[in-house]
Amino acid sequence: MNENIFEVKGLVKEFQGGVKALNNVDAEVRKGEVLFIVGPSGSGKSTFLRCLNLLETPTSGHIFFKGTDVTDKKNNINKFRQQVGMVFQHFNLFPNLTIHKNITLAPVKTGRLTAKEASDKADMLLKRIGLFDKRDSYPSQLSGGQKQRIAIIRALAMNPDVLLFDEPTSALDPEMVGEVLSLMKELAREGMTMAVVTHEIGFAAEVADRIFFMDHGQIVISGTPDEVIRNPDNPRAKEFFSKVL
Amino acid sequence: MKRFSCFIFLLSALLLCSCGKSDKPKLTMVTEATFPPYEFRTGDKVDGIDPAIIRHIADTLGYELKIQDMSFDSVITAVQSGKADVAASGITVTEDRKKQINFTVPYVTAQQVVIVKDNSPIHTTEDLKKYTIGVQHGTTGDLFVTKNIKEPQRFANGALAVTALVSGKLDAVVIDGEPAQVYLSQQTGLRLLPRPLTSEEYAFAISKKNVKLLEDFNRVLNEMKANGLLDSIIRKYKEQNTETAADLLVEDSKYFWIGVKEAFELNFIKDKRYLYLWRGFLVTLYISFFAVLMGLVIGFVVALIRSTAIQTGRYKIPDFFCRMYLTVIRGTPVVVQLLIIYFVIFGSWDIDKVLVAVIAFGINSGAYVAEIFRAGIMSIDKGQMEAGRSLGLSYFQTMREIVIPQAFKNVLPALGNEFIVLLKETSVSGYIALQDLTKGGDIIRSQTYDAFFPLIAVALIYLAVVIFLSSLMGKLEKRLKENE
Ligand SMILES: Nc1ncnc2c1ncn2[C@@H]1O[C@H](COP(=O)(O)OP(=O)(O)OP(=O)(O)O)[C@@H](O)[C@H]1O
Ligand SMILES: [Mg+2]
């Protein structure tokens, strides 16, 4: 069996105007691992993550999801995305829907779950994160930390094979970062496959199975937190971590 | 659904007049019924010398007669374009008009005369040059004055011109002799210049393509001349007109001295004139309502195509047509669009005018609604679409469930505004002779020669509807705000 959720081969993303955000990236996301992607601003971390679920269309290269080439034009992109959850920096909850509806909308509309199943699942997830009483509230009535935790369970409700996080705590007030990180830790412990872009290097060092350090559109080094953060044998990584730690 | 069928019912009630069933072929006559005694309205019907003559001809030839009231400017176009068979509106025979249509043998010889105030310094036609002259737009008087004297002030009908003369806005009115007599008998303080400006002949206009009908008309007209029927019809209406005019005169002088109450009665109560406003109001509401619906549908589809094209690069070709539609509709006046749709696009179809108006205003409004919707859709944060797509929803699912509901809420005030604009824009429906609210006021004005009350009443009704609509939109916005 293929143990990789994602396999990325020769991925290039060039934006209009000639910015090469990704320059020939090869990588894989292994089943069950917690992968962190770190690096300086503008190094291509978000672009890499967004290419994984094709929110950005790669200029060239291939992305295999569980062995299937999803960059192939014939691949059903919606079906593929149902299996890949994403959590955004700015939450992107749907302000026109209640919290409960935010969570059940996609599972029901995509036919992954029946209305009843989705509703039960949403209630279960809400109870789990202690926000069941917000079930019928609207997103504008929630704090930032609450919003991000809802966004996470909204993605979870689809039963995805992998969760992608793009700086999930960057838009939060410091006192709310903790609640989101501890939920992510919990998911990691349960064996959820996760790929996380973050500037929280300490958190990455603590939770990561593996870390990518990106610079100038390339993965410069990858390995365990020890190999990448504590004793990097790469001058650019060394410089970066000495500044942020 | 119930309300919808209610509107349908209203429409059918409104159009009842055109629903009479008969196997006889139809003969459609067009006229502007503001030219007594040749044509004028009594209640719902158009009556007068022209309708009476044409009715006799139609009966003799075995046609079922249908009379349409429209602006004088348009009657010849209507015959030319095949919208109508005959124009009978006190039309003077001129060389220019002969190029466009055929005239029957003349049935009346008429004069263009000059009305001035009693105390006016104008005594001969030579004096006219220095003064402000009023005419009815598109009449022989208009043509003659423009060509031989000076640029006149053009009014939609003779009654308005006379009203303007009475209130001191004009120094003289050039008008046909017959109606001039009527106005003189109704209004004190006016006199005629001793010599008429021109002498001319009235005839009916028939399309050049319809030579057979022209021959038939001429035959019957000549019969009517020979057996005296023509004279007796003309005499009957002239006498009748002087009588009712005398009637009005009493009312008028009372109105002048006693004021508001009588004026109110004259303009709205007498002869059930309020019905013109009420029916016009229903027509205005009907046109606006369905035009809004149509505009919403068109605008929605166009906005969806446009914003999809802009945001994803798909639908390039439909987008091109949408952009053309927007450019043309927003770049031309709605009146012109209405006239084009009526006379050009549906030129040779016998299509209901209310439907034409709904289509014209719907297409027009669609362009503005499209741009409102598009701005609304594009104002929604890109993250909303991305979140939807990342959950595996399709582009259109995300649009329907997430983006459009938010966009709709954002553009509600702008949409409400567009509906209000549309409601008021329908006031140009009179151009294709629809009796909407504005036209209803015009008809009253042409019968009572009073500008103040009918106009104020019309304005107040529009205002009331707009205030009602605004408060409705306000409530809707508030309801939607609560859901956040
Ligand atoms: N839509 C876009 N159009 C053009 N250029 C873009 C676009 N998105 C990103 N870029 C450019 O691509 C490069 C990589 O951007 P990316 O957002 O992936 O960086 P990042 O590592 O996530 O940075 P940060 O830590 O600031 O979020 C940058 O130079 C950025 O300016
Ligand atoms: Mg980023």
Side-chain angles (χ1 to χ4, degrees):
Chain A
M1 269 314 300
N2 200 323
E3 281 301 299
N4 288 338
I5 298 285
F6 280 114
E7 253 175 63
V8 179
K9 298 237 166 83
L11 185 61
V12 174
K13 175 67 190 182
E14 197 175 328
F15 284 107
Q16 272 165 1
V19 182
K20 239 186 190 165
L22 293 178
N23 194 357
N24 202 17
V25 172
D26 292 307
E28 76 285 318
V29 180
R30 298 173 194 150
K31 190 168 165 55
E33 79 171 337
V34 179
L35 171 70
F36 274 72
I37 301 152
V38 299
S41 186
S43 56
K45 304 181 297 292
S46 296
T47 308
F48 175 69
L49 202 70
R50 289 161 57 81
C51 276
L52 284 183
N53 72 348
L54 298 177
L55 277 185
E56 301 289 356
T57 313
T59 311
S60 66
H62 292 271
I63 297 169
F64 295 90
F65 176 72
K66 297 201 287 186
T68 315
D69 185 356
V70 292
T71 43
D72 187 345
K73 288 268 177 296
K74 278 174 282 190
N75 186 61
N76 182 336
I77 192 168
N78 295 326
K79 202 113 221 131
F80 153 64
R81 282 185 179 138
Q82 290 168 24
Q83 308 165 63
V84 180
M86 185 157 205
V87 176
F88 299 85
Q89 180 176 357
H90 295 287
F91 330 129
N92 297 354
L93 294 182
F94 307 132
N96 57 319
L97 304 177
T98 63
I99 298 305
H100 188 261
K101 194 76 203 284
N102 259 275
I103 301 169
T104 56
L105 179 75
V108 174
K109 290 286 166 199
T110 57
R112 298 262 292 185
L113 299 176
T114 66
K116 173 84 172 63
E117 286 164 355
S119 175
D120 290 347
K121 176 140 201 175
D123 290 344
M124 186 268 285
L125 288 165
L126 281 168
K127 277 179 192 147
R128 170 174 168 183
I129 61 169
L131 289 178
F132 184 69
D133 58 323
K134 301 290 184 195
R135 191 181 185 278
D136 299 313
S137 307
Y138 284 87
S140 61
Q141 298 162 325
L142 268 54
S143 74
Q146 290 172 332
K147 281 185 201 164
Q148 194 61 299
R149 287 187 291 144
I150 298 292
I152 292 172
I153 63 167
R154 178 176 72 177
L156 278 181
M158 291 292 288
N159 265 336
D161 292 317
V162 55
L163 274 184
L164 311 177
F165 294 81
D166 191 358
E167 303 199 26
T169 57
S170 301
L172 294 177
D173 290 338
E175 70 268 24
M176 295 176 182
V177 171
E179 58 188 83
V180 173
L181 292 186
S182 65
L183 176 58
M184 289 172 65
K185 249 187 254 180
E186 220 178 289
L187 295 176
R189 260 203 308 278
E190 287 167 11
M192 186 79 213
T193 311
M194 296 165 42
V196 186
V197 171
T198 189
H199 285 130
E200 307 259 348
I201 305 299
F203 178 63
E206 182 193 339
V207 182
D209 297 321
R210 225 153 50 99
I211 296 186
F212 290 171
F213 172 74
M214 288 190 73
D215 198 15
H216 295 296
Q218 289 182 315
I219 299 175
V220 180
I221 51 169
S222 65
T224 63
D226 273 338
E227 290 164 350
V228 176
I229 298 179
R230 299 189 187 100
N231 312 298
D233 63 355
N234 175 289
R236 273 186 282 173
K238 206 170 244 164
E239 192 198 339
F240 175 76
F241 290 115
S242 71
K243 269 187 207 150
V244 296
L245 278 179
Chain B
M1 204 54 225
K2 226 184 209 153
R3 239 174 273 162
F4 187 79
S5 48
C6 188
F7 264 98
I8 296 283
F9 175 78
L10 270 177
L11 173 70
S12 13
L14 284 167
L15 300 174
L16 246 169
C17 31
S18 60
C19 291
K21 272 239 175 88
S22 160
D23 314 327
K24 283 198 245 172
K26 280 207 190 96
L27 183 83
T28 307
M29 158 187 157
V30 281
T31 186
E32 163 154 0
T34 55
F35 192 56
Y38 288 92
E39 39 268 324
F40 52 88
R41 296 193 145 262
T42 51
D44 245 2
K45 294 213 176 54
V46 176
D47 201 1
I49 295 173
D50 288 337
I53 297 175
I54 300 281
R55 188 169 300 284
H56 177 80
I57 297 176
D59 286 347
T60 313
L61 296 175
Y63 287 108
E64 184 197 338
L65 181 61
K66 218 173 111 186
I67 300 180
Q68 286 196 3
D69 187 3
M70 59 167 60
S71 76
F72 187 78
D73 307 333
S74 306
V75 292
I76 287 183
T77 325
V79 168
Q80 238 184 336
S81 67
K83 285 242 163 258
D85 301 305
V86 54
S89 200
I91 306 170
T92 310
V93 179
T94 68
E95 288 310 313
D96 279 346
R97 286 176 181 156
K98 272 185 190 166
K99 287 179 195 142
Q100 298 172 294
I101 36 79
N102 282 332
F103 279 111
T104 61
V105 293
Y107 58 94
V108 137
T109 303
Q111 298 169 328
Q112 290 285 318
V113 298
V114 184
I115 309 181
V116 295
K117 284 197 176 179
D118 268 344
N119 56 4
S120 167
I122 306 173
H123 292 286
T124 67
T125 48
E126 281 70 44
D127 297 339
L128 279 172
K129 259 201 165 61
K130 287 176 286 190
Y131 296 93
T132 319
I133 308 170
V135 296
Q136 179 180 355
H137 190 188
T139 56
T140 322
D142 181 4
L143 299 180
F144 184 86
V145 173
T146 309
K147 207 162 162 191
N148 301 305
I149 305 181
K150 64 185 289 193
E151 196 66 18
Q153 306 247 340
R154 298 184 179 86
F155 289 82
N157 56 54
L160 276 178
V162 174
T163 312
L165 175 68
V166 171
S167 59
K169 288 197 166 50
L170 294 174
D171 301 311
V173 169
V174 171
I175 193 168
D176 293 74
E178 299 297 344
Q181 292 298 344
V182 179
Y183 295 133
L184 281 186
S185 65
Q186 287 167 355
Q187 289 280 350
T188 46
L190 297 179
R191 64 177 164 84
L192 283 184
L193 290 198
R195 272 190 36 218
L197 208 55
T198 63
S199 213
E200 61 196 352
E201 290 174 323
Y202 287 175
F204 304 125
I206 291 175
S207 165
K208 287 204 191 263
K209 293 187 201 122
N210 210 343
V211 183
K212 168 87 170 54
L213 189 68
L214 183 73
E215 284 169 2
D216 288 346
F217 260 64
N218 282 341
R219 182 165 41 80
V220 181
L221 269 173
N222 284 328
E223 277 169 26
M224 290 172 78
K225 276 186 189 170
N227 64 19
L229 184 59
L230 192 63
D231 271 345
S232 81
I233 288 176
I234 294 172
R235 208 175 325 112
K236 174 182 142 206
Y237 278 98
K238 281 184 185 168
E239 279 163 14
Q240 198 183 16
N241 221 266
T242 350
E243 278 165 33
T244 50
D247 231 30
L248 256 173
L249 190 62
V250 183
E251 294 279 350
D252 257 20
S253 59
K254 251 204 273 166
Y255 153 51
F256 212 82
W257 299 115
I258 304 174
V260 179
K261 184 164 174 287
E262 273 70 19
F264 185 84
E265 269 173 17
L266 172 67
N267 279 299
F268 303 125
I269 309 299
K270 188 163 184 290
D271 297 336
K272 293 194 175 168
R273 289 195 174 118
Y274 63 87
L275 279 178
Y276 291 123
L277 294 181
W278 169 244
R279 290 190 191 133
F281 171 70
L282 290 182
V283 171
T284 291
L285 273 195
Y286 181 88
I287 294 173
S288 305
F289 179 80
F290 285 104
V292 160
L293 282 191
M294 191 169 155
L296 276 179
V297 172
I298 294 177
F300 184 73
V301 172
V302 170
L304 211 55
I305 292 172
R306 290 277 292 125
S307 51
T308 304
I310 291 169
Q311 287 172 346
T312 69
R314 283 189 278 171
Y315 298 137
K316 282 265 150 56
I317 293 167
D319 181 52
F320 173 77
F321 285 106
C322 288
R323 287 208 313 265
M324 277 211 334
Y325 159 72
L326 294 176
T327 308
V328 170
I329 295 299
R330 298 196 305 162
T332 53
V334 66
V335 188
V336 177
Q337 292 164 18
L338 179 70
L339 291 174
I340 287 178
I341 289 179
Y342 184 58
F343 283 116
V344 182
I345 296 179
F346 291 122
S348 48
W349 291 17
D350 186 19
I351 182 171
D352 182 56
K353 276 188 290 205
V354 174
L355 190 60
V356 170
V358 168
I359 291 171
F361 290 112
I363 290 176
N364 179 269
S365 179
Y368 294 94
V369 171
E371 286 300 272
I372 292 171
F373 269 143
R374 185 174 68 86
I377 288 173
M378 311 234 330
S379 75
I380 301 302
D381 179 23
K382 254 179 62 201
Q384 292 291 308
M385 176 56 78
E386 289 184 349
R389 298 306 305 274
S390 79
L391 287 163
L393 297 171
S394 70
Y395 177 83
F396 285 106
Q397 277 176 326
T398 314
M399 269 294 184
R400 191 177 61 224
E401 304 291 334
I402 310 297
V403 177
I404 288 166
Q406 293 179 53
F408 183 73
K409 199 184 298 184
N410 289 353
V411 301
L412 209 53
L415 272 186
N417 197 45
E418 164 58 22
F419 297 161
I420 288 170
V421 170
L422 176 68
L423 175 84
K424 290 181 295 183
E425 271 182 349
T426 60
S427 62
V428 299
S429 301
Y431 273 83
I432 59 167
L434 262 175
Q435 288 183 37
D436 71 323
L437 178 54
T438 303
K439 180 82 176 185
D442 284 349
I443 294 172
I444 297 181
R445 223 155 33 127
S446 73
Q447 294 180 353
T448 63
Y449 314 110
D450 179 10
F452 183 79
F453 276 92
L455 283 175
I456 294 295
V458 166
L460 284 178
I461 295 173
Y462 278 113
L463 190 63
V465 178
V466 167
I467 289 173
F468 175 72
L469 272 181
S470 303
S471 78
L472 216 64
M473 294 305 280
K475 279 203 187 106
L476 188 59
E477 270 171 55
K478 228 172 113 195
R479 272 264 300 278
L480 288 174
K481 271 262 159 50
E482 281 164 11
N483 288 354
E484 247 182 36

